[in-house]
Amino acid sequence: MRSNLNGLPGTYWYLWTGMLVNKVGGFGILFLSLYLVNTRGLDPTAAGAVVGLNGLGGAVGVLAGGVLADRWGRRRTLLACHAAASALMFTLAFVSWLPAIAVISCLLGAAQTMAGPAMVAAIVDVVPEHDRTRAFNLQFWAFNLGTAAAALLAGLLAEASFTLLFVVDGAATFATFLVFLLRVPETLPPRAATAGTALPPPGRRGLHTALTDRFFLPFVGLTLLLAVLSSQTSTILPLAMKADGLGPSAYGALMAFAGGLIVAGQLFVPRLIGTRSKAVVLATANALLAVGFTLVAFADAVPLYVVAAVIWTIGSMAAAPPNAEIIAELSPADLRGRYQGVFYLTFPLAGFIAPALGGVGLQRLGDRHWLICGVLGVLAAAGHLLTGRARERRAAELRAVRAGDGTPARAGRLSG
């Protein structure tokens, strides 16, 4: 594929642009819990349950997205899910019946998460392996640039009208659909080109392969703990700030600050983590999230929330590039969508667990809820240190097989 800016392929930059546009306007779910409490009169537990349905739908959508990305194609999957998400968000803007809102929340989760596996699989398809760290870092940078802009804009829109907030979100999603429709080709590799990378026998290859990969699944489980922590910022944190007398604009400003910190610092992350072990980097990242969310237990004003946000944001910045690289290293080329689907399953599951249990935890435990979050971060950090060495050996073996350096006997041993 033709390369342009900074040597990365043109298709990558259109994918990057589409994601940025979508994230700038992607704040509907971010403020759904506040909408349900402030406008619909639900208590935090009920609001958490409705928002949790978004995560439940996302769990189905992300697996479907992974399978469709491999079978149907990356481009078709991206177009279908963005068209559906746009229509659903426009509908949410004008629906007031609570059961309908709950159903839309669930369907939105499915439509929005279908995009993740296809997006990352397409990036892996078009970006050479030596450039993937930079590509994933730029992707995470754009994600957070969009999130920062979205949080700041959404805080102002939520003060004025939740209807307008949902309409703008739907329009941004439709704009992303147009970028992909007009500028992104299909990137799915031909099956013949990927046949040589088959590590289980071809008859057993499919979603089952990713779900039974004994090196990949512990990594997915540890990522789920990280995702549950990260999801606190979009589900439970606004309710905690509301309990401290801080309004939507304060929460929006805090999220914009955290996103701005990532925008300013993310481009330096590859240099900082360099050639360090991915397991050590991920353990450090989870430990920082643990400290940041523990501090929320003691925060009751914006300055203290800012200190906590700085710490957990540094952890998030450190975790993103190695997470993306590990999936690319462990997944066969013709199963990239499925491996991405299983990995991305952690985020909708976290989107269900965090609000469903977090709403109850915040209501019944108060600030002790954040101490429990700290314990989860410490457990995730320890898990990466315990499993990282075996995972990195596996990745090195798979690189040798892909490069043609592994003998047939060795490849057969890996497939077991």
Side-chain angles (χ1 to χ4, degrees):
M1 298 220 175
R2 186 168 58 90
S3 297
N4 50 33
L5 186 60
N6 288 329
L8 292 170
T11 296
Y12 168 81
W13 289 109
Y14 287 119
L15 290 165
W16 184 91
T17 300
M19 185 187 67
L20 177 61
V21 171
N22 195 34
K23 291 310 298 181
V24 168
F27 35 60
I29 296 302
L30 189 68
F31 276 74
L32 183 58
S33 61
L34 282 177
Y35 166 69
L36 293 170
V37 171
N38 291 356
T39 304
R40 298 301 165 198
L42 301 185
D43 62 31
T45 299
V50 174
V51 177
L53 287 173
N54 182 264
L56 192 61
V60 176
V62 77
L63 289 178
V67 173
L68 289 174
D70 285 336
R71 289 187 177 179
W72 198 23
R74 322 310 196 198
R75 183 176 186 271
R76 288 181 179 179
T77 303
L78 288 169
L79 292 177
C81 64
H82 281 90
S86 178
L88 287 165
M89 191 59 73
F90 282 127
T91 304
L92 182 61
F94 301 102
V95 168
S96 59
W97 189 39
L98 185 58
I101 293 173
V103 170
I104 292 170
S105 176
C106 186
L107 293 176
L108 262 174
Q112 291 174 331
T113 59
M114 280 178 66
M119 173 74 73
V120 180
I123 290 173
V124 176
D125 291 340
V126 301
V127 176
E129 185 172 354
H130 67 273
D131 264 340
R132 285 177 190 161
T133 298
R134 185 161 58 103
F136 287 132
N137 195 61
L138 286 168
Q139 180 201 15
F140 188 61
W141 182 80
F143 179 93
N144 285 281
L145 175 62
T147 300
L152 190 59
L153 178 61
L156 300 174
L157 289 174
E159 298 278 4
S161 168
F162 280 104
T163 297
L164 180 60
L165 183 146
F166 295 139
V167 167
V168 173
D169 189 323
T173 304
F174 185 70
T176 302
F177 167 83
L178 292 178
V179 171
F180 293 157
L181 176 67
L182 298 174
R183 305 305 303 178
V184 175
E186 181 54 64
T187 67
L188 180 64
R191 290 190 181 276
T194 60
T197 64
L199 288 177
R204 295 174 51 201
R205 293 170 68 72
L207 194 58
H208 172 270
T209 304
L211 291 172
T212 56
D213 188 325
R214 62 190 178 91
F215 296 94
F216 181 60
L217 286 185
F219 166 67
V220 171
L222 293 170
T223 303
L224 176 60
L225 292 179
L226 181 144
V228 168
L229 290 179
S230 298
S231 294
Q232 301 298 312
T233 62
S234 60
T235 56
I236 304 305
L237 186 65
L239 301 179
M241 295 182 71
K242 175 181 169 64
D244 286 330
L246 303 172
S249 59
Y251 168 69
L254 181 69
M255 291 299 96
F257 168 78
L261 182 62
I262 291 176
V263 170
Q266 189 66 41
L267 296 179
F268 300 98
V269 168
R271 190 176 304 170
L272 293 175
I273 62 179
T275 57
R276 290 178 174 84
S277 162
K278 295 182 181 67
V280 172
V281 172
L282 288 171
T284 303
N286 278 277
L288 288 170
L289 265 73
V291 173
F293 284 112
T294 297
L295 288 178
V296 175
F298 307 98
D300 57 3
V302 170
L304 293 177
Y305 278 107
V306 168
V307 172
V310 168
I311 296 172
W312 82 57
T313 299
I314 293 173
S316 295
M317 284 193 290
N323 272 340
E325 288 180 72
I326 287 169
I327 313 166
E329 290 172 347
L330 295 180
S331 58
D334 61 328
L335 296 181
R336 281 174 185 155
R338 289 171 173 85
Y339 269 68
Q340 293 292 341
V342 172
F343 173 77
Y344 273 93
L345 181 62
T346 61
F347 299 101
L349 282 178
F352 173 73
I353 294 169
L357 296 183
V360 175
L362 188 66
Q363 191 168 358
R364 296 187 178 180
L365 300 177
D367 288 336
R368 285 176 293 172
H369 165 79
W370 301 106
L371 301 180
I372 294 173
C373 290
V375 171
L376 290 178
V378 171
L379 290 175
H384 278 294
L385 293 176
L386 290 173
T387 63
R389 183 170 297 179
R391 185 174 63 233
E392 290 173 5
R393 283 199 303 266
R394 168 70 167 182
E397 291 171 342
L398 292 175
R399 279 194 298 271
V401 171
R402 291 188 186 104
D405 296 330
T407 64
R410 179 169 182 162
R413 184 168 71 250
L414 290 175
S415 70

